[in-house]
Structures are given as C-alpha cells and as structure tokens.
Amino acid sequence: MDIYLRQSWIDPRLEFHQYGINDTVTLNGQDIIDKIWKPDIFFRNLKSGNFHSMTVPNKLIKLSPNGRILFSMRLTLRLSCHMSFRLYPLDAQRCWVVLGSYAQTTDQVVIQWRDESPITIEKEIEVPEFHVVPQAPGTFCRDIDTGVFSFLNVSFVFLRQNGYHLVQTYLPTFLIVMMSWVSFWVPVEAAPARVTLGVTTLLSLTTVASVMVFTALLEFALASYLCRMKIRHRQPKTNCLMFWKPIRPDLHMEGKNQVVHTPESDKKIQLRRSHAVDRFSRMIFPFIFLVFNMFYWIYYLSQRAKMEIRLL
C-alpha cells in the first residue's frame, strides 16, 4: 500500500493565538518536526515499509493557533494478510490494516478515526485481477501484560475478477478437452493419428486437470484392443458321429443356417466392436463433461456468493 497517513491532535503547549497570530503555520523541516511531540503509531501487521524522501522527506506539520496539529506523511507498506484459496480462482479475500499506539497506553493516548471520510481511496487506483471494496473502519483496545492500548482497524475485501481466468484457463481447457474427442471420429485403424492426437492434447494439459483427456486416450486403447482381439468361435455340440462327411472347423450349424467364419468376417466383427465403442464415446464423453461443468459452476458460484455475503 502507498498511503498518506494523517494524524491530528491538540497540544496546548503550542497555542500561539495569544500572540496575535491567527494563521496556520506550515512546517516541513525535519529538525523542527523531530522536536514536536507525536503519537507513537505503528502498524501491527506490517511486514516491511519505508518513508519517502525524494526530493525531501515527505512529511508535513501544520500548526493552528489553538494548538491543533496536523501531521501528514507518505508511507509505502507491505502488510500481512491471511488468505484462503480453497475457491480459487472464484475466491474473495479480506485483508486488514491494523494500527495503534506502541508504548503509550490508553491513559496517555486514545486514537480514533476522523468523523467525516476517515479513509479516502483514489478512484483511478486499481488492483490487478481484483475489485476492491473498502469496509467500515473500527476501533478496539487490546489488554496485554504491559497495559491497555488503543488500536484502529479497517478491512478491504478483494473480489477476484474472473475474466482473465476464463480467457486464459477455462476456455483453453474446454477447447483442448473437446479437441480430444475428435479422435472418436478417426478410424480405429489409424492408430498413429489417434495416439498423436491423444498424447498432444494430454501434454497440453500437463499443468491443468487432464482427467477427461486421459480418459479419451484410454478409450482408444480399449477400441484398439477390441479391434485386434481374436474372435472365439463356439463349436457346435453333437452326440452323433458323422462318418460320411468331415467337419470343417470354420463351419457352425445353427438350426438350418450355416455361418461361415473367415478372417475377413472376423475382421468385420472386430471393427464393429471398436466402432461401437467410438459411437458410444461420442455421446457419453460430452455428456459427462457437461454434467461435471454444471455441478462445478453451480457449487463454486454458490460458494462465491456465500463468501461475498459473509465478507461484505
């Protein structure tokens, strides 16, 4: 965060209206600022921070005739924030800013937010991938072994914008999964084409969930196995011996009909099996993918709505 921290308090020792001066005095010299009493404010969840000193220290003090002091300084802060990515990238996060007195207890210093517009956010400032929603500020006191200290807090809700992930993650994943279904229309005899198509789409999803693509590759393995599996012919059972005619192994008697099994007919049966698996996969894969997406989006969008209600 890049912020302007402004503090205001009254110091009766710095009243000068009795001297006939009714104008506000501006001080920006570091040596003079250091000689004026200031609250010992610190940020409780600060990880790192720094003052700005280009071209001069970005600090300012204004003295009013009645002893009121306005102390303003520019800071860059990196604050800690506990986040939950269980619903990523459909998540929402709440981050806190907590500041208070470090050594001065409530009997010495009590800090409060200004009544009107305690926090101002520049309208042109945007956080990448997030929509920032500031919340109402609050105050609290913390009782520890060294005394009771006054604190201020304010939270910001970060609603993640999903346009980037829809274009960069979801849409490419949908297209790659659908591209893997093209292999169902490629003849099972064209093994190199189907393997290349399956492996290419699988490698394209090495960093994304690739269950559907991997299943499509397994489907080709099943279809290829059925295409090459040998046909087992059932031999007819008989209790009589036929001496007058030798039994051909490729003839089966079924009632009055004779079915002749040749290598060509076996090949057709194998192809019909594999093609049946492909035709079934053309329907079941898109259906399963559609059902999965319905449950996925309904669940995560409902959880996102509940999280927004809870945070806002």
Side-chain angles (χ1 to χ4, degrees):
M1 302 175 63
D2 191 5
I3 69 170
Y4 293 92
L5 178 62
R6 299 185 177 98
Q7 307 170 63
S8 179
W9 66 93
I10 295 179
D11 191 339
R13 298 171 298 177
L14 298 178
E15 295 181 1
F16 52 84
H17 59 82
Q18 65 271 20
Y19 301 107
I21 303 176
N22 297 320
D23 297 329
T24 300
V25 178
T26 301
L27 305 176
N28 61 357
Q30 187 64 36
D31 54 343
I32 300 178
I33 293 177
D34 292 339
K35 295 179 180 180
I36 297 178
W37 179 91
K38 296 177 290 295
D40 58 342
I41 299 297
F42 82 109
F43 289 86
R44 184 178 177 184
N45 57 333
L46 180 70
K47 302 294 290 185
S48 63
N50 62 280
F51 297 97
H52 290 263
S53 57
M54 294 297 293
T55 59
V56 295
N58 296 170
K59 294 181 180 180
L60 170 67
I61 281 186
K62 288 188 176 182
L63 299 179
S64 299
N66 61 351
R68 176 169 292 277
I69 301 174
L70 174 63
F71 178 38
S72 175
M73 56 182 171
R74 185 186 175 195
L75 304 172
T76 295
L77 311 174
R78 187 167 64 93
L79 306 173
S80 64
C81 179
H82 297 282
M83 298 183 178
S84 173
F85 296 97
R86 185 171 59 90
L87 300 178
Y88 177 88
L90 303 175
D91 58 326
Q93 309 291 344
R94 180 192 291 272
C95 293
W96 292 88
V97 180
V98 182
L99 64 157
S101 177
Y102 183 80
Q104 298 167 346
T105 56
T106 53
D107 57 344
Q108 299 171 311
V109 171
V110 175
I111 58 176
Q112 297 177 342
W113 293 105
R114 190 175 66 173
D115 294 335
E116 297 182 1
S117 302
I119 297 176
T120 302
I121 298 180
E122 298 292 342
K123 295 182 179 180
E124 62 271 14
I125 294 179
E126 296 182 358
V127 179
E129 295 190 36
F130 288 99
H131 174 59
V132 183
V133 182
Q135 303 298 297
T139 62
F140 68 96
C141 292
R142 187 186 182 201
D143 187 3
I144 58 177
D145 53 354
T146 57
V148 181
F149 297 90
S150 177
F151 284 91
L152 305 178
N153 61 5
V154 64
S155 65
F156 298 87
V157 175
F158 294 88
L159 305 177
R160 192 182 300 277
Q161 303 299 307
N162 300 317
Y164 171 83
H165 295 279
L166 286 175
V167 175
Q168 297 294 328
T169 303
Y170 286 104
L171 183 59
T173 303
F174 293 160
L175 295 178
I176 292 175
V177 171
M178 294 177 183
M179 188 175 67
S180 68
W181 301 339
V182 177
S183 62
F184 302 150
W185 278 265
V186 178
V188 71
E189 302 87 8
R194 296 190 63 160
V195 171
T196 302
L197 184 60
V199 173
T200 302
T201 53
L202 185 62
L203 293 178
S204 301
L205 292 177
T206 52
T207 58
V208 190
S210 55
V211 177
M212 294 294 296
V213 176
F214 183 70
T215 309
L217 193 60
L218 293 181
E219 187 274 343
F220 166 67
L222 175 62
S224 178
Y225 170 75
L226 293 176
C227 182
R228 291 170 173 79
M229 185 178 66
K230 293 183 178 180
I231 306 297
R232 295 184 179 181
H233 305 300
R234 300 179 58 184
Q235 299 293 338
K237 296 181 179 180
T238 179
N239 295 326
C240 60
L241 298 177
M242 294 179 289
F243 295 98
W244 64 90
K245 188 177 182 179
I247 301 177
R248 291 176 55 187
D250 55 344
L251 295 179
H252 294 265
M253 301 295 296
E254 296 182 2
K256 298 180 180 181
N257 298 325
Q258 292 185 354
V259 179
V260 180
H261 291 277
T262 63
E264 291 77 11
S265 62
D266 291 348
K267 184 63 175 178
K268 292 181 180 179
I269 296 176
Q270 293 169 346
L271 288 177
R272 282 199 298 267
R273 289 178 178 178
S274 60
H275 291 168
V277 173
D278 282 344
R279 287 193 299 268
F280 178 75
S281 300
R282 295 171 191 173
M283 297 181 294
I284 195 64
F285 272 69
F287 176 75
I288 294 176
F289 192 60
L290 177 62
V291 172
F292 167 78
N293 275 276
M294 290 177 57
F295 281 99
Y296 177 90
W297 289 106
I298 291 175
Y299 174 78
Y300 280 98
L301 290 179
S302 62
Q303 293 296 318
R304 167 68 179 263
K306 293 179 182 179
M307 178 177 291
E308 291 183 8
I309 294 175
R310 184 174 65 254
L311 294 180
L312 299 178

